[in-house]
Amino acid sequence: DVPAGQWYTQAVAWAAQNGIVNGVGNNKFDPDARITREQLAAVLYRYAGKVGMDVTARADLKLFPDAGSVSAYATDALSWCVANGIVNGTSITTFSPNANVTREQMAAILYRYAQHKKYNTAASSGLNGFTDHASVSGYAAASLEWAVAEKLVNGSNGKLMPTGNATRAQVAAILHRFVENVATT
């Protein structure tokens, strides 16, 4: 279900070949499916392990009443992400593991991951070139400015769509660009 020649074809192939973004079963990737917070945490956790990062730190997810809804496959990943400040709760008492990740949340999470890895996150690009720049949440502005400057997020038809849900193909493409543009510098 990943046709040749799509904007995401190479990135999905890279992510699947490296075991970073797994398929959904039956030899399918489901590139247009939305990705949840726990799924994105699992993707980053697998990537971190593949690049030899210490993934043993853990946080007590019981601080969040909805932590009981975390899938078994994502428990270690979310615990590691929380312990390292990569993924925060959606509020002081809510984690929302099964909520869809927005594009601005994805940028913020990847930005915090880059900071955790001590990569240079000083790059910044204005967002005024995107017609929907005013809809970027305050917490995500610096993250999106960095992601645009590093060419991780390109937008579509002149829009960032910051509150739109991120898809599996977008996550694969952005992480692939992250590896090419940020992690190698």
Side-chain angles (χ1 to χ4, degrees):
D1 65 340
V2 179
Q6 293 296 312
W7 62 267
Y8 54 80
T9 303
Q10 285 184 314
V12 167
W14 168 84
Q17 288 167 354
N18 288 290
I20 296 168
V21 182
N22 297 328
V24 295
N26 297 324
N27 292 322
K28 297 213 181 268
F29 186 81
D30 204 4
D32 296 322
R34 296 171 178 161
I35 195 160
T36 65
R37 291 169 51 80
E38 71 176 13
Q39 290 169 341
L40 182 56
V43 165
L44 285 177
Y45 181 72
R46 284 193 293 271
Y47 172 71
K50 297 279 183 192
V51 296
M53 220 173 135
D54 180 5
V55 292
T56 58
R58 296 287 182 266
D60 185 2
L61 295 179
K62 292 178 185 162
L63 301 171
F64 301 102
D66 62 348
S69 64
V70 173
S71 300
Y73 79 88
T75 301
D76 287 345
L78 277 172
S79 179
W80 175 79
C81 283
V82 170
N84 289 293
I86 297 166
V87 178
N88 301 323
T90 54
S91 76
I92 284 205
T93 59
T94 309
F95 195 80
S96 308
N98 299 307
N100 293 326
V101 173
T102 66
R103 292 167 51 89
E104 68 183 7
Q105 288 171 347
M106 180 177 51
I109 289 167
L110 199 53
Y111 181 75
R112 289 191 295 268
Y113 175 81
Q115 289 176 321
H116 175 71
K117 285 284 290 175
K118 300 191 182 350
Y119 291 138
N120 184 351
T121 56
S124 183
S125 177
L127 302 179
N128 291 343
F130 298 96
T131 58
D132 58 350
H133 71 275
S135 62
V136 173
S137 299
Y139 80 88
S143 303
L144 274 170
E145 290 168 351
W146 167 78
V148 168
E150 292 290 0
K151 297 181 178 27
L152 307 180
V153 174
N154 301 317
S156 178
N157 296 320
K159 294 183 177 185
L160 281 170
M161 301 166 288
T163 58
N165 293 315
T167 66
R168 293 169 50 78
Q170 290 168 344
V171 168
I174 289 170
L175 190 56
H176 189 237
R177 291 178 202 137
F178 176 84
V179 169
E180 291 179 334
N181 301 350
V182 176
T184 59
T185 58

